Amino acid sequence: MATVTSAAVAIPSFTGLKAGVTPAKVSSTVKVAAFPASKFSVKASLKDVGVAVAATAASAILASNAMALEVLLGGDDGSLAFVPSSFSVSSGEKIVFKNNAGFPHNVIFDEDEIPGGVDASKISMSEEDLLNAPGETYAVTLTEKGTYTFYCSPHQGAGMVGKVTVN
């Protein structure tokens, strides 16, 4: 712990200086007083630290389950592509398709390239619906395990096709 004690400081004064004249000596004394620094301590038991670590880990797990996978519609370089174009998700994980570049875009799941029993019209945007502005999104949650192929109807001919595997 550092301690500051009071001290006397002499401060010279330079007022009234004239060339060739010897000034009278003027000085002042200032006293500086300081109080001892206060001490504090933090004590935590090993049990408290363990509880904090467990709570933090539980929060991280819950937050990761609530997160969604983001797929960009159009590459940063202006390419007509899904970025990423092929990826995997867990059953029930949300996929957010986000308009990025080269729009308008939409997301249509190919009815011939999805697991049996899945209705493509329930997981796809309609052919007429388009995302027209940067940042607009379309979200879908797939629960049936398998491989799904999707495309952007305005740009399918340009190769804007993607694939997701649901585990």
Side-chain angles (χ1 to χ4, degrees):
M1 177 172 82
T3 305
V4 178
T5 57
S6 59
V9 178
I11 301 173
S13 173
F14 296 104
T15 58
L17 293 179
K18 294 182 183 174
V21 177
T22 306
K25 289 189 175 189
V26 178
S27 66
S28 299
T29 303
V30 177
K31 279 194 150 197
V32 177
F35 298 99
S38 61
K39 294 190 296 183
F40 70 94
S41 64
V42 176
K43 294 182 181 180
S45 70
L46 198 51
K47 178 182 173 186
D48 294 337
V49 172
V51 168
V53 169
T56 303
S59 296
I61 290 169
L62 291 173
S64 69
N65 288 341
M67 292 190 321
L69 175 71
E70 185 176 86
V71 178
L72 297 179
L73 301 173
D76 287 335
D77 61 357
S79 61
L80 297 174
F82 291 97
V83 181
S85 62
S86 184
F87 54 93
S88 297
V89 295
S90 298
S91 176
E93 185 176 352
K94 183 190 280 187
I95 304 166
V96 177
F97 294 91
K98 183 177 179 184
N99 223 8
N100 186 48
F103 33 85
H105 297 296
N106 64 6
V107 180
I108 308 296
F109 284 88
D110 187 334
E111 63 186 20
D112 296 326
E113 298 288 329
I114 59 176
V118 176
D119 184 352
S121 66
K122 292 190 178 191
I123 58 174
S124 300
M125 295 176 69
S126 74
E127 295 272 345
E128 298 80 34
D129 284 343
L130 296 170
L131 302 175
N132 288 304
E136 287 185 333
T137 61
Y138 171 71
V140 64
T141 302
L142 305 174
T143 56
E144 191 67 35
K145 293 181 180 185
T147 302
Y148 298 71
T149 299
F150 53 90
Y151 59 90
C152 168
S153 62
H155 303 118
Q156 183 180 14
M160 192 166 175
V161 177
K163 186 175 285 193
V164 57
T165 301
V166 178
N167 301 313

